[in-house]
PDB file of all heavy atoms in Angstrom:
ATOM      1  N   THR A1286      78.278 -26.313 -11.349  1.00  0.00           N
ATOM      2  CA  THR A1286      78.304 -27.209 -10.184  1.00  0.00           C
ATOM      3  C   THR A1286      79.667 -27.213  -9.474  1.00  0.00           C
ATOM      4  O   THR A1286      79.850 -27.948  -8.511  1.00  0.00           O
ATOM      5  CB  THR A1286      77.952 -28.659 -10.600  1.00  0.00           C
ATOM      6  OG1 THR A1286      78.884 -29.075 -11.602  1.00  0.00           O
ATOM      7  CG2 THR A1286      76.549 -28.758 -11.145  1.00  0.00           C
ATOM      8  N   ARG A1287      80.575 -26.414  -9.948  1.00  0.00           N
ATOM      9  CA  ARG A1287      81.932 -26.426  -9.355  1.00  0.00           C
ATOM     10  C   ARG A1287      81.915 -26.255  -7.826  1.00  0.00           C
ATOM     11  O   ARG A1287      82.600 -27.004  -7.116  1.00  0.00           O
ATOM     12  CB  ARG A1287      82.812 -25.349 -10.014  1.00  0.00           C
ATOM     13  CG  ARG A1287      84.292 -25.513  -9.708  1.00  0.00           C
ATOM     14  CD  ARG A1287      85.093 -24.336 -10.250  1.00  0.00           C
ATOM     15  NE  ARG A1287      85.375 -24.420 -11.671  1.00  0.00           N
ATOM     16  CZ  ARG A1287      86.426 -25.048 -12.194  1.00  0.00           C
ATOM     17  NH1 ARG A1287      87.298 -25.660 -11.411  1.00  0.00           N
ATOM     18  NH2 ARG A1287      86.622 -25.071 -13.486  1.00  0.00           N
ATOM     19  N   PRO A1288      81.137 -25.294  -7.279  1.00  0.00           N
ATOM     20  CA  PRO A1288      81.138 -25.158  -5.808  1.00  0.00           C
ATOM     21  C   PRO A1288      80.655 -26.425  -5.088  1.00  0.00           C
ATOM     22  O   PRO A1288      81.019 -26.670  -3.948  1.00  0.00           O
ATOM     23  CB  PRO A1288      80.147 -24.004  -5.549  1.00  0.00           C
ATOM     24  CG  PRO A1288      80.025 -23.286  -6.847  1.00  0.00           C
ATOM     25  CD  PRO A1288      80.271 -24.287  -7.924  1.00  0.00           C
ATOM     26  N   ILE A1289      79.851 -27.224  -5.786  1.00  0.00           N
ATOM     27  CA  ILE A1289      79.355 -28.463  -5.166  1.00  0.00           C
ATOM     28  C   ILE A1289      80.500 -29.461  -4.997  1.00  0.00           C
ATOM     29  O   ILE A1289      80.589 -30.172  -3.996  1.00  0.00           O
ATOM     30  CB  ILE A1289      78.201 -29.063  -6.004  1.00  0.00           C
ATOM     31  CG1 ILE A1289      77.037 -28.075  -6.061  1.00  0.00           C
ATOM     32  CG2 ILE A1289      77.747 -30.403  -5.445  1.00  0.00           C
ATOM     33  CD1 ILE A1289      75.896 -28.503  -6.963  1.00  0.00           C
ATOM     34  N   ALA A1290      81.394 -29.482  -5.999  1.00  0.00           N
ATOM     35  CA  ALA A1290      82.548 -30.389  -5.913  1.00  0.00           C
ATOM     36  C   ALA A1290      83.368 -30.063  -4.667  1.00  0.00           C
ATOM     37  O   ALA A1290      83.793 -30.961  -3.926  1.00  0.00           O
ATOM     38  CB  ALA A1290      83.397 -30.276  -7.170  1.00  0.00           C
ATOM     39  N   ALA A1291      83.553 -28.767  -4.423  1.00  0.00           N
ATOM     40  CA  ALA A1291      84.347 -28.347  -3.263  1.00  0.00           C
ATOM     41  C   ALA A1291      83.674 -28.800  -1.967  1.00  0.00           C
ATOM     42  O   ALA A1291      84.323 -29.348  -1.072  1.00  0.00           O
ATOM     43  CB  ALA A1291      84.516 -26.830  -3.285  1.00  0.00           C
ATOM     44  N   ARG A1292      82.349 -28.584  -1.869  1.00  0.00           N
ATOM     45  CA  ARG A1292      81.657 -28.967  -0.634  1.00  0.00           C
ATOM     46  C   ARG A1292      81.656 -30.480  -0.447  1.00  0.00           C
ATOM     47  O   ARG A1292      81.858 -30.992   0.652  1.00  0.00           O
ATOM     48  CB  ARG A1292      80.215 -28.423  -0.668  1.00  0.00           C
ATOM     49  CG  ARG A1292      79.377 -28.795   0.561  1.00  0.00           C
ATOM     50  CD  ARG A1292      79.925 -28.227   1.871  1.00  0.00           C
ATOM     51  NE  ARG A1292      79.974 -26.786   1.880  1.00  0.00           N
ATOM     52  CZ  ARG A1292      79.011 -25.999   2.369  1.00  0.00           C
ATOM     53  NH1 ARG A1292      77.954 -26.538   2.912  1.00  0.00           N
ATOM     54  NH2 ARG A1292      79.118 -24.690   2.325  1.00  0.00           N
ATOM     55  N   LEU A1293      81.469 -31.183  -1.542  1.00  0.00           N
ATOM     56  CA  LEU A1293      81.438 -32.648  -1.488  1.00  0.00           C
ATOM     57  C   LEU A1293      82.775 -33.201  -0.986  1.00  0.00           C
ATOM     58  O   LEU A1293      82.820 -34.118  -0.160  1.00  0.00           O
ATOM     59  CB  LEU A1293      81.109 -33.194  -2.885  1.00  0.00           C
ATOM     60  CG  LEU A1293      80.888 -34.684  -3.018  1.00  0.00           C
ATOM     61  CD1 LEU A1293      79.758 -35.142  -2.102  1.00  0.00           C
ATOM     62  CD2 LEU A1293      80.545 -35.046  -4.465  1.00  0.00           C
ATOM     63  N   LYS A1294      83.852 -32.596  -1.459  1.00  0.00           N
ATOM     64  CA  LYS A1294      85.190 -33.025  -1.059  1.00  0.00           C
ATOM     65  C   LYS A1294      85.358 -32.874   0.462  1.00  0.00           C
ATOM     66  O   LYS A1294      85.845 -33.765   1.145  1.00  0.00           O
ATOM     67  CB  LYS A1294      86.205 -32.157  -1.802  1.00  0.00           C
ATOM     68  CG  LYS A1294      87.616 -32.633  -1.705  1.00  0.00           C
ATOM     69  CD  LYS A1294      88.476 -31.788  -2.631  1.00  0.00           C
ATOM     70  CE  LYS A1294      89.928 -31.921  -2.229  1.00  0.00           C
ATOM     71  NZ  LYS A1294      90.773 -31.018  -2.990  1.00  0.00           N
ATOM     72  N   THR A1295      84.888 -31.733   0.979  1.00  0.00           N
ATOM     73  CA  THR A1295      84.992 -31.484   2.422  1.00  0.00           C
ATOM     74  C   THR A1295      84.164 -32.495   3.206  1.00  0.00           C
ATOM     75  O   THR A1295      84.627 -33.041   4.204  1.00  0.00           O
ATOM     76  CB  THR A1295      84.458 -30.059   2.742  1.00  0.00           C
ATOM     77  OG1 THR A1295      85.042 -29.162   1.820  1.00  0.00           O
ATOM     78  CG2 THR A1295      84.761 -29.645   4.156  1.00  0.00           C
ATOM     79  N   LEU A1296      82.943 -32.737   2.737  1.00  0.00           N
ATOM     80  CA  LEU A1296      82.054 -33.628   3.479  1.00  0.00           C
ATOM     81  C   LEU A1296      82.523 -35.085   3.413  1.00  0.00           C
ATOM     82  O   LEU A1296      82.424 -35.828   4.379  1.00  0.00           O
ATOM     83  CB  LEU A1296      80.621 -33.536   2.929  1.00  0.00           C
ATOM     84  CG  LEU A1296      79.882 -32.218   3.192  1.00  0.00           C
ATOM     85  CD1 LEU A1296      78.578 -32.180   2.398  1.00  0.00           C
ATOM     86  CD2 LEU A1296      79.590 -32.026   4.669  1.00  0.00           C
ATOM     87  N   LEU A1297      83.033 -35.473   2.260  1.00  0.00           N
ATOM     88  CA  LEU A1297      83.430 -36.875   2.057  1.00  0.00           C
ATOM     89  C   LEU A1297      84.801 -37.189   2.642  1.00  0.00           C
ATOM     90  O   LEU A1297      85.101 -38.331   2.943  1.00  0.00           O
ATOM     91  CB  LEU A1297      83.528 -37.167   0.553  1.00  0.00           C
ATOM     92  CG  LEU A1297      82.356 -37.721  -0.198  1.00  0.00           C
ATOM     93  CD1 LEU A1297      82.757 -37.899  -1.667  1.00  0.00           C
ATOM     94  CD2 LEU A1297      81.893 -39.060   0.356  1.00  0.00           C
ATOM     95  N   ARG A1298      85.623 -36.185   2.717  1.00  0.00           N
ATOM     96  CA  ARG A1298      87.046 -36.336   3.075  1.00  0.00           C
ATOM     97  C   ARG A1298      87.727 -37.328   2.131  1.00  0.00           C
ATOM     98  O   ARG A1298      88.451 -38.214   2.544  1.00  0.00           O
ATOM     99  CB  ARG A1298      87.194 -36.788   4.529  1.00  0.00           C
ATOM    100  CG  ARG A1298      86.603 -35.796   5.492  1.00  0.00           C
ATOM    101  CD  ARG A1298      87.296 -35.875   6.844  1.00  0.00           C
ATOM    102  NE  ARG A1298      86.465 -35.278   7.864  1.00  0.00           N
ATOM    103  CZ  ARG A1298      85.733 -35.975   8.717  1.00  0.00           C
ATOM    104  NH1 ARG A1298      85.735 -37.285   8.684  1.00  0.00           N
ATOM    105  NH2 ARG A1298      85.008 -35.345   9.614  1.00  0.00           N
ATOM    106  N   ARG A1299      87.390 -37.211   0.868  1.00  0.00           N
ATOM    107  CA  ARG A1299      88.036 -38.007  -0.185  1.00  0.00           C
ATOM    108  C   ARG A1299      88.258 -37.072  -1.369  1.00  0.00           C
ATOM    109  O   ARG A1299      87.558 -36.065  -1.496  1.00  0.00           O
ATOM    110  CB  ARG A1299      87.093 -39.115  -0.671  1.00  0.00           C
ATOM    111  CG  ARG A1299      86.915 -40.285   0.264  1.00  0.00           C
ATOM    112  CD  ARG A1299      85.879 -41.198  -0.387  1.00  0.00           C
ATOM    113  NE  ARG A1299      85.433 -42.279   0.443  1.00  0.00           N
ATOM    114  CZ  ARG A1299      86.010 -43.467   0.512  1.00  0.00           C
ATOM    115  NH1 ARG A1299      87.096 -43.717  -0.175  1.00  0.00           N
ATOM    116  NH2 ARG A1299      85.514 -44.404   1.284  1.00  0.00           N
ATOM    117  N   PRO A1300      89.158 -37.463  -2.274  1.00  0.00           N
ATOM    118  CA  PRO A1300      89.381 -36.601  -3.434  1.00  0.00           C
ATOM    119  C   PRO A1300      88.139 -36.531  -4.331  1.00  0.00           C
ATOM    120  O   PRO A1300      87.543 -37.558  -4.634  1.00  0.00           O
ATOM    121  CB  PRO A1300      90.527 -37.288  -4.192  1.00  0.00           C
ATOM    122  CG  PRO A1300      91.073 -38.328  -3.270  1.00  0.00           C
ATOM    123  CD  PRO A1300      90.022 -38.643  -2.264  1.00  0.00           C
ATOM    124  N   VAL A1301      87.745 -35.318  -4.687  1.00  0.00           N
ATOM    125  CA  VAL A1301      86.654 -35.121  -5.651  1.00  0.00           C
ATOM    126  C   VAL A1301      87.148 -34.116  -6.687  1.00  0.00           C
ATOM    127  O   VAL A1301      87.459 -32.973  -6.344  1.00  0.00           O
ATOM    128  CB  VAL A1301      85.372 -34.575  -4.979  1.00  0.00           C
ATOM    129  CG1 VAL A1301      84.292 -34.338  -6.019  1.00  0.00           C
ATOM    130  CG2 VAL A1301      84.864 -35.511  -3.892  1.00  0.00           C
ATOM    131  N   LYS A1302      87.267 -34.550  -7.927  1.00  0.00           N
ATOM    132  CA  LYS A1302      87.704 -33.626  -8.982  1.00  0.00           C
ATOM    133  C   LYS A1302      86.468 -33.063  -9.682  1.00  0.00           C
ATOM    134  O   LYS A1302      85.352 -33.557  -9.501  1.00  0.00           O
ATOM    135  CB  LYS A1302      88.590 -34.370  -9.977  1.00  0.00           C
ATOM    136  CG  LYS A1302      89.818 -34.992  -9.317  1.00  0.00           C
ATOM    137  CD  LYS A1302      91.091 -34.448  -9.921  1.00  0.00           C
ATOM    138  CE  LYS A1302      92.319 -34.729  -9.069  1.00  0.00           C
ATOM    139  NZ  LYS A1302      92.537 -36.145  -8.769  1.00  0.00           N
ATOM    140  N   PHE A1303      86.692 -32.043 -10.497  1.00  0.00           N
ATOM    141  CA  PHE A1303      85.591 -31.407 -11.208  1.00  0.00           C
ATOM    142  C   PHE A1303      85.860 -31.435 -12.703  1.00  0.00           C
ATOM    143  O   PHE A1303      86.982 -31.160 -13.143  1.00  0.00           O
ATOM    144  CB  PHE A1303      85.426 -29.968 -10.721  1.00  0.00           C
ATOM    145  CG  PHE A1303      84.393 -29.194 -11.484  1.00  0.00           C
ATOM    146  CD1 PHE A1303      83.037 -29.476 -11.323  1.00  0.00           C
ATOM    147  CD2 PHE A1303      84.769 -28.210 -12.396  1.00  0.00           C
ATOM    148  CE1 PHE A1303      82.082 -28.783 -12.048  1.00  0.00           C
ATOM    149  CE2 PHE A1303      83.809 -27.507 -13.122  1.00  0.00           C
ATOM    150  CZ  PHE A1303      82.464 -27.794 -12.938  1.00  0.00           C
ATOM    151  N   SER A1304      84.842 -31.774 -13.484  1.00  0.00           N
ATOM    152  CA  SER A1304      84.978 -31.733 -14.935  1.00  0.00           C
ATOM    153  C   SER A1304      84.114 -30.611 -15.497  1.00  0.00           C
ATOM    154  O   SER A1304      82.896 -30.658 -15.406  1.00  0.00           O
ATOM    155  CB  SER A1304      84.535 -33.067 -15.548  1.00  0.00           C
ATOM    156  OG  SER A1304      84.456 -32.914 -16.948  1.00  0.00           O
ATOM    157  N   PRO A1305      84.750 -29.593 -16.096  1.00  0.00           N
ATOM    158  CA  PRO A1305      83.975 -28.459 -16.631  1.00  0.00           C
ATOM    159  C   PRO A1305      83.125 -28.831 -17.840  1.00  0.00           C
ATOM    160  O   PRO A1305      82.255 -28.071 -18.242  1.00  0.00           O
ATOM    161  CB  PRO A1305      85.027 -27.421 -17.005  1.00  0.00           C
ATOM    162  CG  PRO A1305      86.350 -28.063 -16.838  1.00  0.00           C
ATOM    163  CD  PRO A1305      86.195 -29.421 -16.250  1.00  0.00           C
ATOM    164  N   LYS A1306      83.400 -29.974 -18.429  1.00  0.00           N
ATOM    165  CA  LYS A1306      82.565 -30.453 -19.541  1.00  0.00           C
ATOM    166  C   LYS A1306      81.822 -31.703 -19.069  1.00  0.00           C
ATOM    167  O   LYS A1306      82.211 -32.344 -18.091  1.00  0.00           O
ATOM    168  CB  LYS A1306      83.447 -30.821 -20.742  1.00  0.00           C
ATOM    169  CG  LYS A1306      84.142 -29.621 -21.375  1.00  0.00           C
ATOM    170  CD  LYS A1306      83.300 -29.039 -22.499  1.00  0.00           C
ATOM    171  CE  LYS A1306      83.664 -27.613 -22.855  1.00  0.00           C
ATOM    172  NZ  LYS A1306      85.055 -27.415 -23.236  1.00  0.00           N
ATOM    173  N   ILE A1307      80.764 -32.053 -19.786  1.00  0.00           N
ATOM    174  CA  ILE A1307      79.986 -33.217 -19.378  1.00  0.00           C
ATOM    175  C   ILE A1307      80.340 -34.429 -20.238  1.00  0.00           C
ATOM    176  O   ILE A1307      80.522 -35.528 -19.744  1.00  0.00           O
ATOM    177  CB  ILE A1307      78.479 -32.921 -19.476  1.00  0.00           C
ATOM    178  CG1 ILE A1307      78.158 -31.737 -18.555  1.00  0.00           C
ATOM    179  CG2 ILE A1307      77.647 -34.134 -19.071  1.00  0.00           C
ATOM    180  CD1 ILE A1307      76.784 -31.194 -18.715  1.00  0.00           C
ATOM    181  N   VAL A1308      80.389 -34.206 -21.544  1.00  0.00           N
ATOM    182  CA  VAL A1308      80.736 -35.301 -22.449  1.00  0.00           C
ATOM    183  C   VAL A1308      81.914 -34.853 -23.328  1.00  0.00           C
ATOM    184  O   VAL A1308      82.330 -33.705 -23.250  1.00  0.00           O
ATOM    185  CB  VAL A1308      79.527 -35.705 -23.331  1.00  0.00           C
ATOM    186  CG1 VAL A1308      78.482 -36.435 -22.506  1.00  0.00           C
ATOM    187  CG2 VAL A1308      78.918 -34.500 -24.016  1.00  0.00           C
TER     188      VAL A1308
END
Side-chain angles (χ1 to χ4, degrees):
T1286 57
R1287 194 186 280 273
I1289 299 175
R1292 178 62 61 94
L1293 186 58
K1294 191 173 161 186
T1295 313
L1296 291 171
L1297 267 180
R1298 299 207 199 102
R1299 286 176 188 271
V1301 178
K1302 302 240 164 56
F1303 175 72
S1304 170
K1306 293 268 160 57
I1307 300 170
V1308 288

